[in-house]
């Protein structure tokens, strides 16, 4: 089959999100299979779950026959049975994702073990002419489960966390073949009469559920720009200064004026970097901007210019503080040549700091306030200069704060004091 280049949207990879990325592609139908449960006792029923993902903008039929061993590891026949006597035909609409459930039964005589494979023999029939892909070869864009239709989320639970696989077996073509997954048979258990179960199909997602996130963000761009225009340097600085002082005081570590000013300046520098924040050798989208975009997707009406300052010190504050801390670590490493740990360690440190400001159990102290926020703010001091401000006077404010913290100096914090004084000296000479 030849697919035309498509300007169609790239739908989300529902199958990959459920299967952990495991899949086999028959033409443009992607599949993964798993027994449910993955460990079944002799004498008990189980199912083969077949995930199906249509990657085309036309209907596809999947003709499915359950695949299971004819003999067990000891050579006994008919150790797995099914009442499904004819192929199951599933019709998938354009872009549809769903799963088929094929009921089977393990006999009491089955030899226990791990060496079993079950799955599905699948044949694909493409129904439309001139099909176009609506998912790329990787399955589509990553799934955001929060955007998944809420009424359909409960039907995901029974098929999550299974042992999905898509191991090819025997002769495979572009539109047919057998894919399997491992099954463990446990020793036989006492069981009543097997339930009368029938094969069925459950639709998980259709093109009607598609949310064009890029289009939503683009539609919300004017609202984002309106918010940012209101957050001038002066407005943002004084709002962040006051909120920072308030939060640190509530967390029982009151800041001196010079300390709060440095943290606010660091946050303003990050804010003014917009949607591209330099961290080390790379550039990332900061969390505060991503949060604005998320609001633009879901709550555009709340992004009114008059709400700019409340948003900054409210819903955006902790995201901006996280970005400022990570940026501060990066700036400090560049200036001081010190190693502050791995990105994961710095991120964990920052998350704990924010948790403390939100009332967490870990108390704030000198080291957690200064590293990286206050120290990063010293580097930002000469970058973020307020109208009529004399940068040297701001530096002297922090010198005074350090003097007031003298009783907090010990073997652990000594290097932070030394680093602060060195950075202040550099700031005075610049």
């Amino acid at each position: 089959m030849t697919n035309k280049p498509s300007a169609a949207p790239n739908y989300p990879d529902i199958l990959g999100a459920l299967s952990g990325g495991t899949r086999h592609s028959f033409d443009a139908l992607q599949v993964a299979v798993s027994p449910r449960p993955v460990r079944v006792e002799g004498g008990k029923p189980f199912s083969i779950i077949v995930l199906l993902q249509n990657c085309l903008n036309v209907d596809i039929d999947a003709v499915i026959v359950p695949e299971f061993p004819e003999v067990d590891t000891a050579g006994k026949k008919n150790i797995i049975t099914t009442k499904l006597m004819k192929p199951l035909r599933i019709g998938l609409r354009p872009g549809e994702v769903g799963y088929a459930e094929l009921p089977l039964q393990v006999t009491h005589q089955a030899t226990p073990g791990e060496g079993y494979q079950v799955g599905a023999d699948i044949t694909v029939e493409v129904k439309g002419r001139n099909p176009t892909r609506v998912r790329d070869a990787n399955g589509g864009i990553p799934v955001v489960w929060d955007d998944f239709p809420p009424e359909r989320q409960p039907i995901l639970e029974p098929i999550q966390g299974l042992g999905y696989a898509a191991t090819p077996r025997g002769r495979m073509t572009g539109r047919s073949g057998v894919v399997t997954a491992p099954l463990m048979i446990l020793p036989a258990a006492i069981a009543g009469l097997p339930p009368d179960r029938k094969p069925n199909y459950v639709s998980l997602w259709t093109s009607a559920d598609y949310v064009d996130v890029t289009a939503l963000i683009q539609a919300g761009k004017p609202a984002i720009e309106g918010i940012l225009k209101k957050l001038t340097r002066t407005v943002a600085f004084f709002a962040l200064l006051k909120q920072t002082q308030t939060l640190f005081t509530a967390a029982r570590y009151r800041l001196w004026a010079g300390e709060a000013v440095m943290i606010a300046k660091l946050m303003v520098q990050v804010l003014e970097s917009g949607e591209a924040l330099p961290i080390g050798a790379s550039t990332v989208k900061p969390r505060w901007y991503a949060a604005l975009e998320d609001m633009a997707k879901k709550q555009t009406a709340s992004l009114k210019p008059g709400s700019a300052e409340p948003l900054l010190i409210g819903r955006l504050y902790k995201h901006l503080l996280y970005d400022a801390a990570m940026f501060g670590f990066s700036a400090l490493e560049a200036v001081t040549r010190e190693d502050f740990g791995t990105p994961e360690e710095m991120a964990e440190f920052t998350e704990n700091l924010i948790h403390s400001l939100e009332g967490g159990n870990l108390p704030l102290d000198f080291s957690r306030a200064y590293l990286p926020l206050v120290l990063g703010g010293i580097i930002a001091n000469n970058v973020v200069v307020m109208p009529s401000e004399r940068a040297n006077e701001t530096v002297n404010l922090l010198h005074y704060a350090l003097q007031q913290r003298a009783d907090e100096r010990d073997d652990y914090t000594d290097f932070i004091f030394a680093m602060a004084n060195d950075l202040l000296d550099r700031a005075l000479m610049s």
Side-chain angles (χ1 to χ4, degrees), residues 216-231 289 292-293 295-297 299-308 311 316:
L216 287 177
I217 291 175
Q218 284 301 119
K221 279 285 188 183
I224 293 175
E225 291 170 0
I227 290 288
L228 297 183
K229 284 180 181 178
K230 289 291 183 179
L231 294 176
Y289 197 92
L292 263 184
E293 286 189 332
M295 292 175 67
K297 289 188 295 182
Q299 302 168 315
T300 307
S302 64
L303 297 182
K304 297 177 180 179
S307 65
L311 277 175
L316 299 183

Side-chain angles (χ1 to χ4, degrees), residues 209-224:
D209 301 313
Y210 177 63
V211 177
D212 190 340
V213 174
T214 301
L216 287 177
I217 291 175
Q218 284 301 119
K221 279 285 188 183
I224 293 175

Side-chain angles (χ1 to χ4, degrees), residues 28-49:
L29 176 70
Q30 297 180 334
V31 303
V33 298
S34 175
R36 186 180 71 184
V38 296
R39 301 175 180 178
V40 60
E41 297 170 325
K44 292 290 185 73
F46 73 101
S47 299
I48 297 174
I49 301 298

Side-chain angles (χ1 to χ4, degrees), residues 26-72:
F26 292 104
D27 206 338
L29 176 70
Q30 297 180 334
V31 303
V33 298
S34 175
R36 186 180 71 184
V38 296
R39 301 175 180 178
V40 60
E41 297 170 325
K44 292 290 185 73
F46 73 101
S47 299
I48 297 174
I49 301 298
V50 185
L51 293 179
L52 304 164
Q53 181 161 271
N54 184 358
C55 297
L56 297 178
N57 67 339
V58 298
D59 291 347
I60 285 181
D61 276 7
V63 182
I64 304 172
V65 176
E67 190 72 19
F68 49 89
E70 295 182 0
V71 298
D72 67 8

